[in-house]
Amino acid sequence: AYQALLALCQEAAAEAGFSECSCFQSNHEGDLVDAIQDAYESYDGIVINPGAYTHTSIAILDAAKAVGLPMVEVHISKVDEREDFRQVSYIRAACFETISGMGIEGYRKAMVDLAERLGL
């Protein structure tokens, strides 16, 4: 399933006009913060699915705000239909859009919308 997601992201990024697309996954909050900080002056934007860190991580939000890149929040499931604690998204404050409940196709929409935001 993860390989299918990576392939979709590469394909969608190319179709949207991006010259490259890097994907990063980690179960460690600090690694995600580092990846966001490393994107500064290296990438034009970020598509992010912080998983459970969506609802808990001020550190990821702070990193996102610090780099100031256009960012899209993606969730595979319909988060708004899940548990009450999942109704809070810290990362949303740094994102221009949230895409939820489209499965991995949400990443394709995120790439298209990010490209549009950047004027590609």
Side-chain angles (χ1 to χ4, degrees):
Y2 184 62
Q3 293 304 317
L5 173 61
L6 296 178
L8 182 143
C9 288
Q10 295 295 331
E11 175 186 297
E15 289 172 359
F18 290 102
S19 60
E20 69 173 293
C21 171
S22 296
C23 298
F24 178 79
Q25 190 278 331
S26 178
N27 295 320
H28 303 282
E29 184 180 30
D31 292 346
L32 297 169
V33 168
D34 290 345
I36 292 167
Q37 291 172 336
D38 290 346
Y40 183 69
E41 294 186 344
S42 297
Y43 294 96
D44 295 325
I46 297 174
V47 172
I48 187 167
N49 181 342
Y53 290 125
T54 302
H55 321 294
T56 63
S57 183
I58 295 166
I60 290 174
L61 170 62
D62 287 349
K65 284 184 167 183
V67 301
L69 293 170
M71 189 175 291
V72 180
E73 174 186 16
V74 175
H75 299 286
I76 293 170
S77 68
K78 291 183 180 179
V79 185
D80 54 335
E81 295 178 2
R82 295 180 66 191
E83 302 92 339
D84 287 346
F85 66 86
R86 294 190 196 275
Q87 305 313 305
V88 174
S89 169
Y90 286 104
I91 195 65
R92 194 160 297 159
C95 297
F96 71 86
E97 179 179 32
T98 298
I99 298 168
S100 179
M102 293 180 65
I104 66 171
E105 282 298 317
Y107 288 89
R108 184 181 309 278
K109 178 170 173 35
M111 293 288 183
V112 170
D113 294 352
L114 183 58
E116 185 177 292
R117 179 70 166 235
L118 293 166
L120 296 185

